[in-house]
C-alpha cells in the first residue's frame, strides 16, 4: 500500500495494483480499476515514485 494525501488533508492508503490511470488536471487524479476517482495532493511523479518504491519493496522480500 502507498500513502497519499487527499485534498482535505486526510492521509489514506491505496493499493497501487488497482491504479488504472494517474493524471494531473492540474490536480492529481487517481482512477482505480473499480472506476472510483481519488484526488490527491501528491504530483503524478511523486505517485510514480511511490509505486516504484512499493514494488521494489515487494520484490526485495
Amino acid at each position: 500500500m502507498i500513502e497519499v494525501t487527499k485534498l482535505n488533508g486526510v492521509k489514506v492508503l491505496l493499493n497501487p495494483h488497482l491504479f488504472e490511470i494517474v493524471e494531473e488536471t492540474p490536480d492529481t487524479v487517481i482512477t482505480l480499476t473499480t472506476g472510483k476517482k481519488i484526488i490527491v495532493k501528491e504530483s503524478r511523479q511523486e505517485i510514480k515514485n511511490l509505486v516504484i518504491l512499493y514494488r521494489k519493496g515487494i520484490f526485495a522480500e
Side-chain angles (χ1 to χ4, degrees), residues 2 5 9 13 21-22 25 30 34-36 38 42 45 49 51-52 54 56-57 61:
I2 65 167
T5 310
L13 294 173
I21 299 171
V22 178
T25 63
I30 301 172
T34 61
K36 182 172 183 169
I38 301 172
E42 290 79 8
Q45 186 63 47
N49 292 340
V51 171
I52 289 169
Y54 168 79
K56 281 182 180 179
E61 294 180 3

Side-chain angles (χ1 to χ4, degrees), residues 3-33:
E3 184 174 14
V4 295
T5 310
K6 295 168 70 172
L7 291 182
N8 63 3
V10 174
K11 293 191 178 284
V12 295
L13 294 173
L14 295 177
N15 181 347
H17 294 287
L18 297 178
F19 290 6
E20 185 171 357
I21 299 171
V22 178
E23 57 188 331
E24 289 180 328
T25 63
D27 293 324
T28 305
V29 179
I30 301 172
T31 304
L32 305 177
T33 56

